[in-house]
Amino acid sequence: MTTIIHLVDDTTPGGVMRVIEHVQSAAGLGHLGRHSVVMIPKTGRGPTRIHGDVIVSHLTMNWRRLPWLIQLRAAHATTPMVHVEHSYTAGFLRHNVPHPARFMTMVRVAFSLFDRVVPVSDTQAYWVLDKGLADPSQITTIPSAVDVSLFDSIPSATGPIKVIGAFGRLEPQKGFDVLIRAMRASPRQDLQLHIFGQGSEREALTSLAGADPRICFGGFVPEPAKAMASVDAVAMPSRWEAYGLVALEARAAGRMLLASPLDGLNDHIAAGAHPVRDNSVRGWSETLTALDRPDIAKLDRARSDANAASARFAQSWTLLLHDLLAPEDKAQAA
């Protein structure tokens, strides 16, 4: 049986591990082979010999990791190697990289070591190609997917929008500070903002919300679908987002999705999400103030598209792995 090794540098619950778990369990992918996860230390140094038929990297690329990656590539000259880019986007570059030229050089070198580079959204793929980070022949775009069946079982929110939910880590990336300021600036007293998640910004965000009775924090959510069912719409004011699994879940649940028009969230906007002008406090406040009822036909189309994501994900990975495997191994994986 074909062995597919997934390299990770963070096994805490989150988007990357959820996608890998979906690869391992999704209907339509089980026939591809046996999946195994190998943890690579964040220091960048890992084993240079990895026993597998295909190596799939989910690592965060940096200068410190490059020497080991070069050794890994040299030790597996004939083994197909794939890198899934979960982190870097135009938004990430804008908010986190003080020396863009140096950073781009590192990414180009890292990407050159792989047979294929997998952006997780169309918008991210356009950015990779526009910046010349990889050769077009290397690129295979596979939008991320997870099991959304629990979200699909939730009745669509078709009435007036009164409760807006925000889901995710309480970190600067998610832009919840912008959303809180926008809510406080809105004159709508009939709206509520429920923020679900935990993280390093909890105290700062709580302070920012002040005594506004419309804003509350739900903390860690052990049952995300149940929390999603308690809101009428979902807001994603992210500063960068390679794809956005919460957006996929919101669409699958039949919730109106309000999203910043950047990075992978643009893919969700193309599928029916509502773009928020310039992702500013003013833009979000105007959007929140103008909320009424969702467009039911648009919700239905977005929901249908989200629920087809897993099948597209499985088909794309199947085609990629079959293309990479040697002819004698293709029959084994089929």
Side-chain angles (χ1 to χ4, degrees):
M1 175 177 283
T2 300
T3 301
I4 303 160
I5 305 297
H6 297 269
L7 308 180
V8 302
D9 52 17
D10 186 355
T11 56
T12 57
V16 174
M17 288 308 299
R18 291 182 66 204
V19 170
I20 293 174
E21 289 165 5
H22 191 58
V23 170
Q24 294 173 308
S25 62
L29 283 173
H31 70 285
L32 291 178
R34 182 173 62 86
H35 297 269
S36 180
V37 174
V38 174
M39 179 68 182
I40 304 300
K42 287 185 178 292
T43 58
R45 295 181 180 276
T48 55
R49 290 298 307 177
I50 294 174
H51 301 290
D53 300 300
V54 181
I55 298 172
V56 182
S57 158
H58 302 269
L59 305 171
T60 302
M61 296 301 165
N62 52 52
W63 283 106
R64 183 174 54 187
R65 176 156 281 153
L66 273 183
W68 171 75
L69 276 175
I70 293 169
Q71 289 179 309
L72 184 70
R73 175 76 273 184
H76 300 84
T78 61
T79 302
M81 287 178 54
V82 178
H83 174 67
V84 184
E85 184 48 63
H86 295 278
S87 303
Y88 297 146
T89 65
F92 180 94
L93 185 71
R94 184 163 56 251
H95 288 283
N96 297 281
V97 180
H99 305 291
R102 185 174 184 272
F103 173 82
M104 293 296 198
T105 297
M106 179 275 296
V107 175
R108 287 188 190 98
V109 173
F111 283 3
S112 72
L113 301 172
F114 294 89
D115 299 284
R116 295 292 179 87
V117 174
V118 176
V120 296
S121 64
D122 288 333
T123 307
Q124 186 191 43
Y126 298 149
W127 175 73
V128 168
L129 290 171
D130 181 63
K131 297 301 180 182
L133 301 180
D135 190 271
S137 64
Q138 287 179 277
I139 298 295
T140 300
T141 304
I142 306 180
S144 296
V146 292
D147 181 9
V148 294
S149 57
L150 290 177
F151 296 89
D152 183 41
S153 66
I154 301 171
S156 294
T158 57
I161 295 174
K162 299 298 183 182
V163 182
I164 294 95
F167 299 81
R169 293 173 292 106
L170 305 187
E171 303 294 345
Q173 174 192 356
K174 300 303 180 182
F176 291 156
D177 56 315
V178 173
L179 187 58
I180 290 171
R181 288 188 174 94
M183 187 69 176
R184 298 201 65 178
S186 172
R188 290 279 299 271
Q189 296 302 307
D190 60 328
L191 292 179
Q192 296 180 45
L193 173 60
H194 294 185
I195 299 175
F196 300 93
Q198 56 189 5
S200 66
E201 285 206 313
R202 173 63 188 258
E203 185 176 342
L205 293 176
T206 302
S207 176
L208 190 61
D212 194 321
R214 299 173 298 170
I215 305 172
C216 66
F217 294 82
F220 171 73
V221 180
E223 299 179 85
K226 185 176 180 180
M228 187 78 72
S230 72
V231 307
D232 304 314
V234 174
M236 293 191 71
S238 303
R239 291 182 167 92
W240 66 93
E241 201 75 65
Y243 179 69
L245 291 174
V246 168
L248 181 70
E249 293 166 341
R251 293 198 288 120
R255 264 50 189 172
M256 183 178 184
L257 175 62
L258 313 172
S260 54
L262 53 74
D263 296 343
L265 293 180
N266 277 317
D267 287 34
H268 298 284
I269 289 170
H274 179 80
V276 176
R277 179 176 61 84
D278 69 24
N279 205 35
S280 65
V281 171
R282 180 176 179 179
W284 274 97
S285 185
E286 290 175 352
T287 296
L288 295 177
T289 301
L291 285 176
D292 188 15
R293 289 176 178 267
D295 182 326
I296 305 305
K298 182 179 284 190
L299 279 188
D300 289 344
R301 289 193 297 270
R303 186 167 204 163
S304 177
D305 179 81
N307 282 289
S310 186
R312 293 194 299 266
F313 180 83
Q315 181 182 40
S316 296
W317 271 105
T318 298
L319 291 173
L320 172 59
L321 292 174
H322 276 239
D323 187 47
L324 288 173
L325 292 171
E328 58 269 24
D329 291 328
K330 288 185 178 180
Q332 183 182 9

